[in-house]
Amino acid sequence: MTQTIDKVALVTGGSRGIGRQISLDLSARGYAVAIVYAGNTAAAEESVAAIASRGGTARAIIADIADEAAVSAAFDAIEADRGGVDVVINAAGVMPLGRLADLDLAELDRALRTNVRGTLVVDQQAARRVRAGGSIVNLTSSVTRFRNPGNIAYIASKAAIEGITMVLARELRGRDITVNAVAPGAIVTDMLSDFLAADSSGEERARISGQSPLERLGTPEDVSEIVMFLATEARWINGQVLFANGGAI
Ligand SMILES: NC(=O)c1ccc[n+]([C@@H]2O[C@H](COP(=O)([O-])OP(=O)(O)OC[C@H]3O[C@@H](n4cnc5c(N)ncnc54)[C@H](OP(=O)(O)O)[C@@H]3O)[C@@H](O)[C@H]2O)c1
């Protein structure tokens, strides 16, 4: 029997890492999933194939989340295909590194463009289009509390996402749409691998793993289960930033 799908999700960054796992888990809950990605078509197609192989429905749409025309066109395509959007997850992001004294300001611009402008652009379309009963979840990071030296542009951009989330929840009064953010600690993805690439001794990896009393790094599954709760179950958590880092300090 063919499964009837009437719930629709858009996941930015769904081609890799945390967004990929969220896409798989939303599909397992019966959502048709549109994966928005920046340029890694092979990864996006692999995510779509992984969902299809489990009996789900997915498509991949290439769009720079900071490009309002491209994001609007992505929402248009999903609405034309599926009739609407119920869940929007903003998992796309970039993490430039560098201490402020030496920071190349082009890296600041990159963080602000993708993480802040991109989140705002996607949330703007979500604010216009998500159906009643739906939800929006933005990915921020626990580094806004860890205050790591050398991560200043990224932390500035993620702090902005916390503000965007709290304000948008209130701007959507009367729409029956929840807006929350999830702030993971270190999660095993390409982003963390890039960060640890220069760490040949393994000391930084051990240090980060030891930050949680659970004495391990987080996984995309750890984050996705929280996103699933906020996006598909909880209706009374709204305008919140949920820190998910295994108790790391
Ligand atoms: N990993 C961690 O330790 C960690 C911790 C806390 C928070 N986070 C946050 O969680 C989110 C997911 O992180 P991750 O580790 O899964 O990242 P990742 O493995 O590096 O994947 C990044 C994803 O974002 C997409 N993307 C990047 N720039 C984009 C743009 N301008 N337009 C559209 N898509 C874009 C990429 O698309 P392509 O595949 O096409 O490049 C990819 O799907 C990010 O917001 C990150 O800041 C991560």
Side-chain angles (χ1 to χ4, degrees):
M1 198 174 82
T2 310
Q3 190 187 11
T4 304
I5 293 182
D6 57 5
K7 296 267 188 178
V8 181
L10 181 155
V11 183
T12 74
S15 54
R16 290 190 284 129
I18 294 168
R20 179 185 183 278
Q21 187 62 44
I22 290 168
S23 300
L24 287 168
D25 289 347
L26 283 168
S27 173
R29 281 163 176 72
Y31 285 75
V33 180
I35 287 169
V36 172
Y37 70 104
N40 191 335
T41 300
E45 286 178 352
E46 188 280 328
S47 296
V48 168
I51 289 171
S53 73
R54 293 162 169 80
T57 300
R59 65 181 292 185
I61 301 174
I62 186 167
D64 174 3
I65 57 166
D67 176 343
E68 59 267 45
V71 170
S72 180
F75 275 83
D76 286 347
I78 296 160
E79 286 180 337
D81 198 17
R82 292 275 150 199
V85 181
D86 303 287
V87 165
V88 172
I89 313 291
N90 267 304
V94 294
M95 183 171 73
L97 298 172
R99 289 173 178 258
L100 184 55
D102 307 313
L103 188 69
D104 177 349
L105 292 182
E107 289 294 274
L108 174 67
D109 292 344
R110 190 165 75 91
L112 295 180
R113 177 175 163 77
T114 298
N115 298 350
V116 182
R117 189 176 212 282
T119 299
L120 276 167
V121 164
V122 173
D123 280 0
Q124 184 177 49
Q125 291 300 325
R128 292 172 182 168
R129 308 200 202 209
V130 167
R131 294 187 282 218
S135 57
I136 300 168
V137 179
N138 296 323
L139 268 293
T140 173
S141 171
S142 286
V143 293
T144 60
R145 298 296 180 276
F146 295 165
R147 309 178 185 103
N148 300 340
N151 216 355
I152 197 159
Y154 181 70
I155 290 173
S157 71
K158 289 298 186 182
I161 291 173
E162 294 181 16
I164 292 164
T165 301
M166 292 186 279
V167 175
L168 183 57
R170 286 152 185 79
E171 289 190 357
L172 295 185
R173 170 178 287 273
R175 295 271 306 279
D176 189 19
I177 297 169
T178 64
V179 188
N180 291 290
V182 174
I187 306 297
V188 179
T189 68
D190 293 343
M191 185 178 280
L192 187 69
S193 300
D194 292 346
F195 173 70
L196 293 173
D199 174 35
S200 55
S201 68
E203 284 174 13
E204 185 65 3
R205 186 184 183 91
R207 186 189 69 77
I208 293 172
S209 303
Q211 283 180 321
S212 163
L214 302 177
E215 294 189 327
R216 66 172 177 84
L217 292 168
T219 64
E221 289 84 354
D222 289 325
V223 180
S224 183
E225 70 181 19
I226 296 150
V227 173
M228 289 308 110
F229 180 59
L230 294 174
T232 72
E233 295 177 42
R235 298 305 300 169
W236 203 234
I237 301 177
N238 191 24
Q240 304 299 315
V241 181
L242 219 158
F243 285 78
N245 50 42
I249 50 169

